[in-house]
Amino acid sequence: MNSAQWHARIECGRQIGAGFLVTGRKVVTCAHVIADSGAAPVTVTFPHQAGAAAVPARVVSHGGWGGRPTDPGDLAVLELDEDAPVAPAAFAPADAAFGEPPRKLVAYGFPRGYDEGTLAEYRATAAQLIGGEWIQLEAWNGHGQPLEAGFSGAAVALAGTGEVVGMVTATGGRGVRNGRMLPTHVMARYWPELGGRLPAPAHEDADRDRLRVLVEKAARAGLDCSPKRLYLDAAGPFGPPVPPGGFHSLWAAAWYVLCELDDPESVTRFADRLDALIDAPRAAAASRHAPPDWSPILVEIDRSGAGGDQVVVEVSAYSAGRRHPVDSRTLTQGELRPYVRERIDEAFAHLAPGTDELIAFALPREWLNWPVDQWESGPDDPTPLGCSYPLVVTDHARRRGGLRHRLTRRWQGIDAGANAQVHRVECDSGEDPRKLRLRLREADVAGFAAPPAAGHSRPRFDTALTKPVPVLLWPRSGCGGEHAGAGFAAGKGDGDCAGSAFLNAIGPYVSGVTPAELPRHILSLRESADAADDPDGHWARDVQLLWDDPRCFPDPHATTAHLRSPVA
């Protein structure tokens, strides 16, 4: 340690701390040491250099520290104008600080009265991370220099070799002989460049290099993805939860998987998912007509036995054939929208990267006309939910029993790629529901000119719902009047009927689209209607899509009951 010239004294305003050189011109310290760097200059001094003067430095990387002692990411990287006249620090393997007998660790800091610096001897209490971030330090013996103000940012190194194992981030103060350090593998979460300097087993070297290349590739591509979702997918349902504070970057999640998860396959899963996300735009361009890989977020809403306007709502995510319950609650209808928005946001954490998200509302039959696609996407985002994601509704009754079995078989039959052809059901054609049942026997898509509760359309709507018709389309405010013209007899509708106008437009729009692709296609239609000069006058302003491929959802009888249902 006496020859370790890479120790540095850091000054920023009235704050004095420590740091250490890690490359020719980059110095690492604590973010709280340079907290005033926006208003005060930052200087670095190497005290082991005789007559060394303080040199200016600029902050080039920040760990995202929030300002409180317990906030994660208390790390900053400073860059000098030119290479320092000393060699940078060397690093020990991540587990070198622990063992029996305990390893003596040494920190070099600058407390009051020690401008030239002084040493403190400590040991690591255990390898257990506190809050997923820190290693606790305790004094090597009952006397000697304690960790106090001026030690923040100091390298924690092995006595004898001087190899660095961490950085002091919290000091106990005078008379208190403990503190905390950020171990080097946690430091690398916040500064990827450090990861390449840390020793690792040969197999981890290859994993680390692949992760770094992919993260850099994602950054160059401007990839917008959730580090939390990638981590959860890599960790699996029984893996450790996201650490407190989450991940401030994609690299932080990648490094956490590499260093903290015991399952070696988790690194492969993370890298493979990230690689697929990076490649997704190219793959999409190469196969625009490939069927979507739907990963639904299901919002189930039903009446509550508690009475009044209360409802039971349950939100789940489905990924790789598994159901991930998010939350279930009994609410008033006035509380429903904000609750659903928040739970949908939470559910995204369970979807596998690279799959196609789909928002599905399972509703009682009499609520199928609810304008759920018009609910706002977020408290600060007025975009209609149906313009942010593919969104469909489905009928509770179609998700169970023999009809579910027949729907599954029907979807299997149209997987060959048959294009959607709308079978028209006019608002008041006078068609006998029994004949309609026969006509819809082979239909993939049934289009209604009127909403389910309008006039005489309800019996025909119920007929379609009880048959294995994969897709139903209708306008929520379509015509509910009575017509008996020759146009209906010919299946062309009435030129003055809003519902017929809807069917005349929707038929050509979905022509050539497979039923599996319809949610994505209707999303585009909703976006066009919302962006029109006169959105309220657009023929598709209130299009409703009932779509339910049972294969996207596990059998509802195999899932848990509503957690807060009065019956449960």
Side-chain angles (χ1 to χ4, degrees):
M1 289 292 290
N2 290 335
S3 61
Q5 299 188 4
W6 38 260
H7 293 292
R9 173 189 169 97
I10 313 295
E11 295 186 50
C12 179
R14 301 180 63 183
Q15 187 73 253
I16 296 176
F20 54 102
L21 189 72
V22 291
T23 71
R25 61 177 64 186
K26 289 182 180 176
V27 176
V28 173
T29 187
C30 287
H32 76 258
V33 171
I34 51 88
D36 294 332
S37 60
V42 179
T43 62
V44 176
T45 307
F46 295 98
H48 288 283
Q49 290 288 301
V55 295
R58 60 187 176 276
V59 180
V60 294
S61 185
H62 192 283
W65 179 67
R68 298 176 300 180
T70 55
D71 283 340
D74 190 3
L75 176 144
V77 182
L78 312 178
E79 187 171 45
L80 310 176
D81 288 336
E82 54 187 45
D83 285 352
V86 298
F91 294 89
D95 59 353
F98 317 102
E100 289 296 337
R103 300 291 301 270
K104 180 187 288 188
L105 307 176
V106 183
Y108 194 98
F110 302 88
R112 183 184 299 274
Y114 290 91
D115 290 349
E116 74 286 1
T118 188
L119 293 170
E121 296 180 335
Y122 274 72
R123 76 182 80 190
T125 303
Q128 172 68 49
L129 287 178
I130 298 174
E133 187 90 357
W134 304 280
I135 291 293
Q136 181 169 310
L137 299 175
E138 58 187 34
W140 182 255
N141 51 45
H143 56 274
Q145 173 65 49
L147 291 179
E148 55 183 331
F151 275 90
S152 292
V156 179
L158 298 175
T161 70
E163 294 172 310
V164 176
V165 294
M167 177 180 72
V168 176
T169 56
T171 59
R174 291 188 178 276
V176 179
R177 296 188 173 275
N178 58 32
R180 288 181 178 180
M181 77 170 180
L182 207 61
T184 51
H185 70 278
V186 175
M187 293 171 66
R189 286 188 215 159
Y190 302 108
W191 187 39
E193 187 176 335
L194 180 62
R197 303 185 64 83
L198 303 182
H203 71 281
E204 287 188 13
D205 263 340
D207 289 337
R208 179 179 59 191
D209 291 344
R210 185 187 179 203
L211 284 176
R212 186 186 302 106
V213 168
L214 287 172
V215 170
E216 291 173 352
K217 189 176 179 181
R220 289 194 301 271
L223 181 66
D224 182 16
C225 67
S226 167
K228 177 180 177 182
R229 287 173 61 185
L230 275 167
Y231 169 77
L232 290 172
D233 191 60
F238 305 109
V242 174
F247 302 112
H248 83 293
S249 68
L250 182 57
W251 172 256
W255 190 258
Y256 193 88
V257 169
L258 181 66
C259 297
E260 303 296 340
L261 300 191
D262 294 330
D263 179 7
E265 292 302 314
S266 62
V267 177
T268 302
R269 287 194 294 269
F270 189 99
D272 287 348
R273 298 291 191 275
L274 181 55
D275 200 6
L277 282 177
I278 295 170
D279 193 51
R282 184 197 60 79
S287 55
R288 292 187 183 277
H289 300 292
D293 182 14
W294 295 121
S295 283
I297 294 172
L298 180 64
V299 182
E300 299 177 82
I301 304 174
D302 211 342
R303 288 186 174 83
S304 167
D309 70 340
Q310 292 192 322
V311 297
V312 174
V313 57
E314 184 168 11
V315 180
S316 307
Y318 292 83
S319 181
R322 292 189 309 222
R323 174 179 179 267
H324 303 274
V326 176
D327 195 29
S328 178
R329 196 163 299 182
T330 300
L331 305 165
T332 64
Q333 290 195 25
E335 300 170 311
L336 186 57
R337 292 192 186 191
Y339 171 81
V340 167
R341 286 196 305 257
E342 292 173 5
R343 300 295 88 76
I344 285 176
D345 283 344
E346 293 177 17
F348 271 101
H350 298 286
L351 302 189
T355 57
D356 298 286
E357 69 272 8
L358 173 72
I359 311 297
F361 282 80
L363 304 168
R365 187 162 299 178
E366 56 271 25
W367 292 351
L368 286 175
N369 210 44
W370 275 15
V372 290
D373 60 295
Q374 293 298 315
W375 292 6
E376 293 183 348
S377 294
D380 301 316
D381 182 4
T383 306
L385 196 60
C387 293
S388 296
Y389 310 104
L391 185 148
V392 303
V393 299
T394 187
D395 178 17
H396 277 311
R398 284 165 64 95
R399 301 191 61 240
R400 55 180 178 264
L403 181 55
R404 176 185 174 87
H405 177 77
R406 288 185 292 158
L407 269 171
T408 302
R409 189 172 59 196
R410 188 78 187 88
W411 275 99
Q412 290 170 339
I414 62 177
D415 271 346
N419 294 331
Q421 180 180 353
V422 177
H423 289 249
R424 298 172 65 108
V425 183
E426 303 292 350
C427 54
D428 191 15
S429 64
E431 184 174 13
D432 188 320
R434 292 173 296 178
K435 293 183 178 179
L436 177 64
R437 183 164 58 242
L438 182 63
R439 183 159 68 90
L440 295 181
R441 185 170 58 185
E442 300 299 328
D444 295 334
V445 181
F448 287 78
H456 299 289
S457 68
R458 186 54 188 258
R460 288 186 288 277
F461 195 85
D462 288 344
T463 296
L465 284 175
T466 57
K467 301 300 292 181
V469 183
V471 180
L472 277 68
L473 283 161
W474 69 90
R476 285 190 299 272
S477 57
C479 179
E482 296 187 1
H483 304 272
F488 286 105
K492 299 176 182 177
D494 187 326
D496 296 326
C497 172
S500 291
F502 170 83
L503 292 180
N504 292 341
I506 196 70
Y509 183 81
V510 302
S511 177
V513 180
T514 64
E517 295 175 299
L518 275 175
R520 194 157 55 195
H521 213 57
I522 296 300
L523 166 64
S524 298
L525 179 59
R526 286 172 172 150
E527 288 177 313
S528 297
D530 187 63
D533 293 336
D534 179 18
D536 291 337
H538 195 283
W539 65 268
R541 67 191 181 279
D542 57 3
V543 60
Q544 196 81 325
L545 172 63
L546 186 147
W547 183 100
D548 48 7
D549 184 349
R551 299 168 303 175
C552 290
F553 310 93
D555 188 335
H557 294 292
T559 63
T560 58
H562 294 296
L563 300 180
R564 294 179 177 84
S565 166
V567 177

